[in-house]
Structure formats: structure tokens, C-alpha cells
Amino acid sequence: IKDHHGRLDCLILFVTDQSESVGEEHRRNDTIFLGKLIKELLEKDLVGVGEPIPVRLEVIQSGVQNYVMMYDWFKERVPGILKDVQRQFGGIDRVYVQLAGGIPACKTNLALALLREPYRVHTLYVNERTQQVDPGDFGRVLRGEQLIDLLEEYLGRDDYAAAVSLAERWSPEAIALLSLLRALYYRQLFRFDEARKCFRDTRIHVPSEPLTELIRNTKSVAQGVKLIEEGQHNEVPEPVRDLLADFWYHTQSTYRNERYVDFVGRFWRLREALLRLRAERYEGLIVGEDRRNQVTYYNICLQHEGRTPFTSWCEQGMALQRARNRLYVGHAFGGASESEIQGLWPGEDILGDTSRMLAAEFGIRYPTTYKTAHDVILQLANNLWQDE
């Protein structure tokens, strides 16, 4: 370790000291005495290391062959040990672990316990051919795969808050990765100024065409918010289409992630926005504040275009609109479920029907923005944990 890293601040030895009840054939293999001998040799530098090395003995007294008991023992003990070391030495840069030899239940669960901690873990083993100690990458490989799997799961659910939390814990120094995740998180919350700043911070570290497009699209969505609130457009401007595509993307995400009350609230808002867009185009002016409601908008649209795919879609959503009022995002404290939503939707499939209507009537397509961003995130994460 000193050759590899330059110094060793503390050595922790896991030793066994079982009770007499396990039998002499097991007790004779206990390592408590060897551990005490190593502690004496290293702390007094009797083997010529060049400096005293503090040694801490952690004694296992029972269940050393039992995988379940050792899983619990190491899971409970290792975090406290590392916190003590961190307090004593002012931080932990990296952890080395020797897993060769020893009792299988102990060394396996020591590895698992260390992989739960946010430190760089390097495995050491003796090369049988050369008798040299080689640093292995078991910890990096296994942890990296676990973290990538978790990150993919969070991104698949558009759970950027969880992805940010994961990256902050395991890679707080990964500025590009964290900035990109935070940008998507802020954009999801419609905090566009913060999102654009985080995208720009990412581009400093990772200049690429996808990031330029993400910044452009975020600016367009933010502009769409202003335009749709200003009202009255003869044609749907591109920023408004970008806004509605973004909004529908996250609305679908709430449904797929079983956040059904949120979905109903968002669907209600989408229906209102589309009706107002179409109604004010027919009226040629902004519908007055006293008439801003979905019934008024719907009647205007029905009067001007009759039974069309759009007005039919609006009519199909009436029952869901009324149901929103009894939910906790409306005027009561009711809940919602997938079966209730589908039961209130007279069409074939609410997600498919809405996506087809948006494409045909408003030119709104499924955005590729998030797939692009997710690809960049996973590439950053793979590079990060491969280079660790």
C-alpha cells in the first residue's frame, strides 16, 4: 500500500475469537493471537516499515462460518469503523481491502459492506506466480456496475431528484455529471434559468452538439411558457409546441410511474391549455378573464369546427376533468388509480389517443431531448467509474 499510494494511516484487522462452545477444532484456528502479534510489530515498527502504523483489531466472536450472521455483523460494524477512522484522521481518501484467504463468509461480507460506503475501494491480492502484491479492481468494477444500473433505473423513471442524490453521494467531484442531472431536475420543475445555467456548466466540461441542442430546447420551452400565457396565436409557435411536448412527456411519465393523481392534474392543465389556444385563435383575441374556463373554451371550439378529432378528444376528457376536482390536487382529498382513469376515458387508450391527437392537430411530437440527455449522462458515468 505504501508503494502504491505513499502512506498507510491505519490498518484494521478482522480477527476471530470464538467461545469454547464451538469446539477446540474451530478455536485453534482463531486469529486473535496473530492479530495481536501484527499489531505489536507494526505499531512499534519492528519489521522495518519506516514508521509506526496504527492497528485496530475488530473481533468476531460468533457465527464466523454463517453467511447471514456475517452479513449482518459487517453491515452493522463497518460504517461505524470508517466513521471513527474519518474522525481520527480528518477524512478517508481510499480504502484497501485484502480478500484472499480467510473465512469465506467473513471476506465476502466485508467486501459487500465496503461497497456500500462512498469511498474508493481497492482490492489487494498476492500473485501466486510472482509473490508480489497486486492492486485489483474488484471494488471499482462491481460498484461501477451497481451505480450504473441504479442510474439507468432512475433515468428510466425520469427521477432526476434520485439520480442527483446518487451522484452527490458517490461522485461529488463529478461536476459535469452533477450539472447535467441538476439541469434536467430543474427543467422538470420549470425552473428554466437554473436549468440553463447547469447546462452551461456542463458544456464547459463536455463540449458537444447534444448539449447545445439541450440548451436551445430549454430556452425554447421557457419562451413557450411566456408565449402561451400571453395568449392569442393564429398558429402554434414553435416554442409553444416545444413546451407542450415537454409537458406531455412528463405527464406520460407520471402515469407510467403510477403517480396517478399527478397525472390527472397535469392532464387537466394540458386540456385547458389546448382548448384556450384553439378558442382564442377562433375568437381572434384573448378570451376575457371572466370567461377563462374549459367549458367556455370547448363551446367556442365546438361552434367553429363541430365534431373533429380535437373536439372529440376534449369531450372524452370531460369525465376526467370533473374527477380532478375531487382529488387532492383539486378541491378535496381523493385519490386515483389506473383502473379509475381508464374507466373514465371512453377512448381506446388515454396515452396513445392523446399522443396521436397532439401530433395530428398541433404538430407536437414525442421529444428526443431526454433520450439525448440520458445517453450523455450514462456516457459520463461510465467514463467516470471506469477511470476511477
Side-chain angles (χ1 to χ4, degrees):
I1 292 172
K2 286 175 65 66
D3 289 343
H4 185 64
H5 186 58
R7 73 178 195 277
L8 173 62
D9 295 316
C10 180
L11 176 65
I12 301 164
L13 298 178
F14 293 91
V15 298
T16 59
D17 184 19
Q18 302 172 86
S19 66
E20 295 181 0
S21 63
V22 302
E24 182 58 29
E25 69 276 15
H26 295 297
R27 277 180 55 78
R28 72 165 63 101
N29 293 320
D30 279 338
T31 52
I32 180 69
F33 303 110
L34 181 59
K36 289 180 177 179
L37 176 59
I38 295 173
K39 179 178 173 69
E40 179 83 2
L41 291 171
L42 292 180
E43 289 189 337
K44 295 183 178 180
D45 193 24
L46 299 176
V47 291
V49 174
E51 61 182 343
I53 295 176
V55 178
R56 173 172 175 160
L57 299 183
E58 292 293 328
V59 183
I60 307 172
Q61 296 180 317
S62 62
V64 299
Q65 305 284 353
N66 188 306
Y67 277 84
V68 175
M69 291 180 67
M70 287 300 93
Y71 178 85
D72 291 335
W73 192 92
F74 280 99
K75 181 181 179 182
E76 178 182 343
R77 194 67 59 91
V78 166
I81 294 170
L82 293 174
K83 285 180 181 177
D84 288 346
V85 172
Q86 194 170 28
R87 280 193 295 267
Q88 183 178 356
F89 295 97
I92 295 176
D93 182 55
R94 65 190 68 200
V95 176
Y96 293 88
V97 58
Q98 208 273 55
L99 298 174
I103 301 170
C106 294
K107 63 183 181 182
T108 299
N109 286 298
L110 170 60
L112 291 175
L114 287 173
L115 290 173
R116 282 191 289 267
E117 298 299 320
Y119 307 111
R120 293 185 178 185
V121 178
H122 300 266
T123 50
L124 301 172
Y125 62 94
V126 178
N127 187 307
E128 293 184 0
R129 183 177 59 84
T130 66
Q131 291 301 299
Q132 296 297 308
V133 178
D134 297 329
D137 60 1
F138 172 76
R140 176 187 60 78
V141 170
L142 187 56
R143 176 185 285 166
E145 289 185 358
Q146 290 174 330
L147 295 177
I148 293 294
D149 285 347
L150 270 177
L151 194 56
E152 286 183 323
E153 172 71 18
Y154 294 150
L155 294 178
R157 297 177 64 86
D158 299 304
D159 192 344
Y160 302 121
V164 168
S165 179
L166 177 72
E168 283 177 338
R169 176 175 180 185
W170 293 103
S171 299
E173 75 289 348
I175 304 302
L177 177 64
L178 277 168
S179 295
L180 184 49
L181 288 172
R182 287 173 181 147
L184 294 176
Y185 174 61
Y186 288 135
R187 178 165 164 166
Q188 195 175 44
L189 298 178
F190 274 42
R191 293 160 59 176
F192 298 113
D193 290 342
E194 292 159 289
R196 287 204 297 270
K197 179 183 182 304
C198 287
F199 277 130
R200 288 194 294 269
D201 290 344
T202 305
R203 189 167 58 178
I204 293 172
H205 301 277
V206 187
S208 67
E209 182 59 33
L211 289 177
T212 301
E213 175 57 24
L214 284 168
I215 294 171
R216 186 210 67 77
N217 185 259
T218 301
K219 182 178 180 180
S220 180
V221 171
Q223 180 66 20
V225 172
K226 295 180 181 179
L227 290 175
I228 203 169
E229 289 176 350
E230 290 172 358
Q232 212 287 299
H233 303 285
N234 292 329
E235 300 294 335
V236 182
E238 182 180 357
V240 173
R241 287 200 300 271
D242 286 340
L243 163 65
L244 294 173
D246 192 76
F247 190 78
W248 178 234
Y249 173 90
H250 289 299
T251 300
Q252 292 178 88
S253 180
T254 60
Y255 187 94
R256 294 190 176 111
N257 292 326
E258 302 180 25
R259 290 162 41 208
Y260 296 119
V261 172
D262 191 6
F263 170 80
V264 174
R266 286 170 173 269
F267 186 86
W268 183 94
R269 180 67 190 95
L270 176 69
R271 185 175 181 273
E272 180 186 53
L274 296 176
L275 277 166
R276 181 187 167 194
L277 271 173
R278 190 67 71 93
E280 290 187 342
R281 187 184 74 182
Y282 289 132
E283 293 286 285
L285 48 82
I286 297 175
V287 177
E289 290 284 350
D290 58 330
R291 299 169 61 210
R292 285 192 180 183
N293 62 73
Q294 294 195 28
V295 174
T296 299
Y297 297 147
Y298 174 72
N299 288 334
I300 292 172
C301 293
L302 192 63
Q303 177 184 347
H304 283 83
E305 61 186 81
R307 296 286 179 184
T308 64
F310 173 65
T311 56
S312 296
W313 175 85
C314 292
E315 186 176 348
Q316 288 175 317
M318 285 182 176
L320 202 58
Q321 176 200 342
R322 291 191 293 269
R324 174 256 184 190
N325 294 330
R326 65 172 178 77
L327 303 179
Y328 60 73
V329 292
H331 307 296
F333 289 97
S337 68
E338 181 177 23
S339 60
E340 288 175 322
I341 291 171
Q342 293 295 354
L344 293 170
W345 183 256
E348 188 174 318
D349 168 62
I350 190 169
L351 298 186
D353 291 345
T354 302
S355 295
R356 285 187 289 272
M357 183 280 298
L358 288 172
E361 297 290 317
F362 294 90
I364 296 168
R365 305 290 177 179
Y366 192 82
T368 59
T369 309
Y370 292 96
K371 183 184 184 307
T372 300
H374 294 177
D375 289 343
V376 174
I377 287 168
L378 292 174
Q379 185 60 55
L380 286 171
N382 274 297
N383 292 343
L384 174 69
W385 286 312
Q386 284 175 4
D387 295 339
E388 186 181 274

